[in-house]
Amino acid sequence: MKTALSWLAENWPDIVIPLAVFLASLIATFWLRRGAYHRLDRWAKRSRWPGDDIVVQATKTASALWCLLLSAYLALAVFRIPAGWKEPAGKGLGTLLLLSVTLVALNLASRFIQFYGDRLKIPRRPVSTAGQIVRVVILVTAALELLHIWGVPTSPILLVMGVAVLAGALAFRDVLPSVFAGFQLSASGHIKAGDYIKLETGEEGYVTEMDWRHTRIRAMDESAITIPNSRLLQSTVINYGRPLKKASEPFRFYARAHLKELTGLKASNLRQMVEILKDSPDSVVYYHTHHFLEEHHYLTPEPANDFALWASDALGDEVLGERLASVDVFDLPSLGAIRERLVNIMEEHLSRQPNGREAPEGREFHFMKSVSVILPTPYVAHDLREFVEALRKLSLGSLYYHIFESRLRLGRGLNDFSTWLEERLEEKELADKIARLDPYTYTLEGLRSSLIQLIEKRIK
């Protein structure tokens, strides 16, 4: 005890001076800290910037520690202790200060990125990625500074890091553009999962998934198309927006191949024609009343049916020919009804002129029938958007099949489109509008345009 008191009596300046420096520094730094936060509060009230709360919350506690560490460092500088103790103690204080500043920087960066992400309505994924990148940069910088404090050379590490970054850039030179493009796409929000998009190169469909490298879309043939984000960003893209109401069952488009087949039956006068026509299958009636629609689809109004043309040309009976040509097949729901109407006109004509005319030799009416081969197409529609885009691509044979053939040969009375729209998509008003279109007054291309206009109007 006596020895310690004598040591203090001899070395009191070595204790008192560092302690005085510590206390003076502590008072000064806390006074400066108080003034700084006071000014910050006043500035925050004027600026109305919500970010000042983030700064205050993140630094207020830590700044007290900084004052304490700085005061301790100044006291250590005047403390008369061996150099072998002072240097590691100073580095220790510097390490603590660096760790504290790093934690505050991480906290501030995370809060500001989240704050501006919410304010700018940036999707969560790019915000999260940006936060991770910033955190890595802060930690790497802090690690380098820590090595510098403890005297570890950082130049070789920086060189290795530079080489690694360059090697990574070369290795992923094809990937990085797509990654950056993916970040831009996510940040802009112009294209999102669920949107229906169409590229200038022809790919189109609903976006099912977006990651950092690729965007995947479901095409109308239900195939999956993977598009690099860099290509998507550089292309002209039409975005039709969010998906529309889905049908309870998708519409599958079919195409039809048409074959002609001779029945071996022929008529040389009207009475023979009536007898044969009464017993003819629907495929015969269908062929002689509709084959011209496909063969001369560019004509409007369409040519008369074969029976009318034969009556006028071969029999020379213009009156009968005009009456047969006036049969409006759009008003008749089935091929059986068309046959009955034609037979009634012929029998009525025969009742007034029992001794009908004979066709010249070689001008007999040869009955033919239509043989259809139905083929699936790659197009499937789950909603109106996919339906109208498929309509633009359909062959005329497919359009003909779903509008004309299904209505008469299958005896539905409605075309396939109207049936699906009403029963599977609950679009009764649109279905009725399409059903009321008289397809016999359009060319097939004109009919396609009218259908597209009706559906586009409904979508908008």
Side-chain angles (χ1 to χ4, degrees):
M1 185 66 183
K2 191 174 183 180
T3 305
L5 290 175
S6 63
W7 182 87
L8 285 173
E10 294 176 0
N11 300 284
W12 65 267
D14 295 341
I15 302 298
V16 172
I17 292 175
L19 185 59
V21 170
F22 176 75
L23 293 174
S25 301
L26 197 62
I27 293 170
T29 52
F30 268 93
W31 179 77
L32 291 172
R33 173 178 173 273
R34 182 172 176 274
Y37 279 106
H38 182 66
R39 287 178 178 273
L40 183 61
D41 288 339
R42 287 193 298 175
W43 172 74
K45 290 177 182 176
R46 291 197 305 268
S47 68
R48 298 180 182 176
W49 180 52
D52 50 19
D53 292 335
I54 296 176
V55 175
V56 171
Q57 291 172 8
T59 61
K60 201 156 192 175
T61 302
S63 61
L65 179 62
W66 298 342
C67 294
L68 188 64
L69 291 173
L70 182 59
S71 301
Y73 187 82
L74 293 174
L76 182 64
V78 297
F79 197 21
R80 297 179 64 182
I81 57 175
W85 292 8
K86 183 180 287 188
E87 184 178 357
K91 290 180 180 178
L93 291 173
T95 301
L96 291 175
L97 182 63
L98 176 63
L99 291 176
S100 175
V101 171
T102 302
L103 290 175
V104 170
L106 289 172
N107 191 10
L108 275 175
S110 177
R111 290 192 178 193
F112 272 113
I113 289 173
Q114 189 62 46
F115 170 73
Y116 281 106
D118 295 340
R119 193 169 189 177
L120 299 175
K121 298 181 179 178
I122 299 175
R124 182 174 300 177
R125 195 169 183 177
V127 171
S128 173
T129 302
Q132 291 175 3
I133 293 172
V134 172
R135 280 194 288 274
V136 169
V137 171
I138 292 173
L139 289 174
V140 169
T141 304
L144 291 172
E145 185 59 28
L146 184 63
L147 293 174
H148 177 71
I149 290 174
W150 288 95
V152 179
T154 55
S155 298
I157 298 175
L158 290 173
L159 181 61
V160 170
M161 289 176 63
V163 172
V165 170
L166 182 61
L170 290 174
F172 295 99
R173 62 185 182 279
D174 296 331
V175 176
L176 289 177
S178 287
V179 172
F180 288 122
F183 183 82
Q184 292 183 44
L185 288 171
S186 298
S188 65
H190 291 159
I191 299 176
K192 303 178 288 298
D195 288 351
Y196 190 97
I197 62 171
K198 180 190 286 187
L199 277 69
E200 59 182 346
T201 48
E203 297 90 345
E204 63 179 297
Y206 279 113
V207 177
T208 57
E209 184 182 357
M210 296 182 74
D211 58 30
W212 291 114
R213 293 181 56 193
H214 303 105
T215 295
R216 293 177 180 81
I217 63 176
R218 177 174 54 78
M220 281 186 291
D221 59 358
E222 299 190 315
S223 63
I225 301 175
T226 301
I227 304 170
N229 287 332
S230 56
R231 185 181 156 208
L232 190 64
L233 195 64
Q234 295 168 1
S235 299
T236 301
V237 180
I238 301 174
N239 189 345
Y240 291 101
R242 306 297 295 177
L244 304 174
K245 181 174 62 177
K246 284 191 176 298
S248 59
E249 183 178 325
F251 187 92
R252 297 185 181 278
F253 292 87
Y254 290 90
R256 166 185 171 277
H258 169 71
L259 300 175
K260 304 176 187 176
E261 185 177 306
L262 277 169
T263 62
L265 301 172
K266 64 180 181 180
S268 58
N269 56 51
L270 188 60
R271 191 171 298 281
Q272 290 178 357
M273 173 170 277
V274 170
E275 295 303 322
I276 295 173
L277 185 58
K278 282 181 177 178
D279 299 327
S280 295
D282 287 348
S283 58
V284 170
V285 179
Y286 180 78
Y287 176 80
H288 289 293
T289 55
H290 284 80
H291 75 91
F292 51 84
L293 288 173
E294 282 187 289
E295 296 171 4
H296 307 286
H297 62 81
Y298 46 84
L299 296 178
T300 181
E302 72 280 3
N305 60 66
D306 287 348
F307 304 112
L309 292 174
W310 183 75
S312 300
D313 297 341
L315 297 181
D317 195 332
E318 295 287 344
V319 174
L320 177 60
E322 288 185 8
R323 292 195 63 194
L324 291 173
S326 66
V327 174
D328 187 355
V329 295
F330 182 69
D331 290 336
L332 301 172
S334 66
L335 290 168
I338 295 174
R339 176 176 38 236
E340 184 179 354
R341 178 69 60 84
L342 292 170
V343 168
N344 288 341
I345 292 173
M346 293 177 190
E347 287 182 335
E348 183 181 342
H349 192 77
L350 283 172
S351 66
R352 293 197 298 268
Q353 299 180 24
N355 299 319
R357 302 175 187 179
E358 287 284 333
E361 187 175 353
R363 302 291 304 277
E364 296 88 354
F365 188 93
H366 292 270
F367 286 85
M368 301 177 70
K369 67 179 181 180
S370 176
V371 179
S372 296
V373 179
I374 310 304
L375 303 169
T377 73
Y379 306 120
V380 179
H382 297 79
D383 57 30
L384 284 180
R385 172 55 59 197
E386 289 184 340
F387 190 80
V388 74
E389 295 305 322
L391 267 182
R392 300 183 203 276
K393 303 174 185 296
L394 282 182
S395 67
L396 293 179
S398 182
L399 183 64
Y400 181 90
Y401 170 76
H402 288 295
I403 290 290
F404 291 94
E405 185 158 330
S406 63
R407 180 175 179 275
L408 291 175
R409 294 196 67 192
L410 303 180
R412 293 178 178 175
L414 281 176
N415 59 71
D416 285 342
F417 297 159
S418 294
T419 303
W420 179 73
L421 289 169
E422 181 175 351
E423 296 180 358
R424 306 300 179 193
L425 203 55
E426 298 179 355
E427 290 283 352
K428 187 174 188 317
E429 185 177 352
L430 179 60
D432 290 343
K433 288 180 179 177
I434 291 177
R436 285 196 295 270
L437 285 178
D438 183 352
Y440 297 94
T441 60
Y442 294 87
T443 64
L444 287 176
E445 283 295 351
L447 180 61
R448 186 206 303 269
S449 298
S450 297
L451 292 172
I452 290 173
Q453 286 176 8
L454 283 174
I455 298 170
E456 287 284 10
K457 186 177 179 180
R458 173 66 185 89
I459 291 175
K460 292 176 181 176

